[in-house]
Amino acid sequence: MFDNKIEITSPEGLPFGISNEEYVSRGLSILRNPILSNVFFRLHIVETLGTGIVRIKEAYQNSYKKTVFEVNENAIKVTLPVISDVNLNDDETLIYNNLSKITAKSISEIMENISFSRSKTASILKELVSQNYVIVVGMGRGTKYTL
């Protein structure tokens, strides 16, 4: 636990037969230990089985900060930002409001709607990314930003 986020790491990767896309987008789940899951369910520690990712996404749906799912062969790491009052300044809000959840935009595309220099826009985007308000898509010249 950190002041601004909670990180949960699960050893091992995804169960056989589940892709990263299925896990992150649709919250597809396979029980690894049905006996233990049943015990947790009966003790009312969990409400239902296999709905965690869907519920996490719903909880952060209207939040500026988004969860980060890192999936690899040996572990799954979920970073849950602490949701608090949004503390974006006017410049950050202007850039944030020019982004979309559907279409990623390059710095040049963002600059079409604002009057900041390229370096100021890049600096603000870097800060928004570090605070988990914005997601980076791609690398180098193809770098784009989305919510």
Side-chain angles (χ1 to χ4, degrees):
M1 293 183 72
F2 301 89
D3 290 339
N4 63 342
K5 65 186 174 186
I6 299 170
E7 291 181 355
I8 302 166
T9 303
S10 176
E12 300 184 22
L14 293 173
F16 179 75
I18 296 180
S19 69
N20 290 4
E21 176 68 24
E22 291 171 322
Y23 178 75
V24 175
S25 296
R26 297 192 304 226
L28 186 60
S29 174
I30 294 175
L31 290 176
R32 292 180 194 222
N33 190 330
I35 295 169
L36 186 59
S37 297
N38 189 18
V39 170
F40 285 155
F41 181 75
R42 288 178 182 204
L43 291 172
H44 303 284
I45 294 172
V46 296
E47 295 174 20
T48 55
L49 304 174
T51 62
I53 293 177
V54 173
R55 291 181 13 213
I56 288 169
K57 286 185 165 199
E58 287 173 359
Y60 285 88
Q61 182 175 348
N62 296 320
S63 172
Y64 280 107
K65 296 184 178 185
K66 301 298 178 196
T67 55
V68 177
F69 294 91
E70 298 175 49
V71 180
N72 61 50
E73 288 183 28
N74 301 315
I76 300 168
K77 179 177 165 185
V78 180
T79 303
L80 304 169
V82 172
I83 300 174
S84 60
D85 294 332
V86 177
N87 293 321
L88 297 179
N89 64 35
D90 290 341
D91 292 347
E92 291 170 334
T93 300
L94 185 61
I95 290 179
Y96 184 88
N97 289 336
N98 274 281
L99 294 171
S100 163
K101 290 182 181 180
I102 299 169
T103 306
K105 292 183 178 181
S106 67
I107 289 180
S108 298
E109 292 169 321
I110 295 167
M111 289 175 55
E112 290 173 3
N113 299 314
I114 58 174
S115 60
F116 300 153
S117 69
R118 185 173 194 83
S119 62
K120 181 175 181 175
T121 303
S123 175
I124 292 171
L125 283 166
K126 183 177 179 180
E127 181 61 26
L128 291 172
V129 168
S130 74
Q131 295 179 35
N132 291 326
Y133 289 119
V134 173
I135 298 169
V136 177
V137 179
M139 295 173 56
R141 296 180 68 91
T143 302
K144 294 192 175 196
Y145 301 87
T146 188
L147 300 179

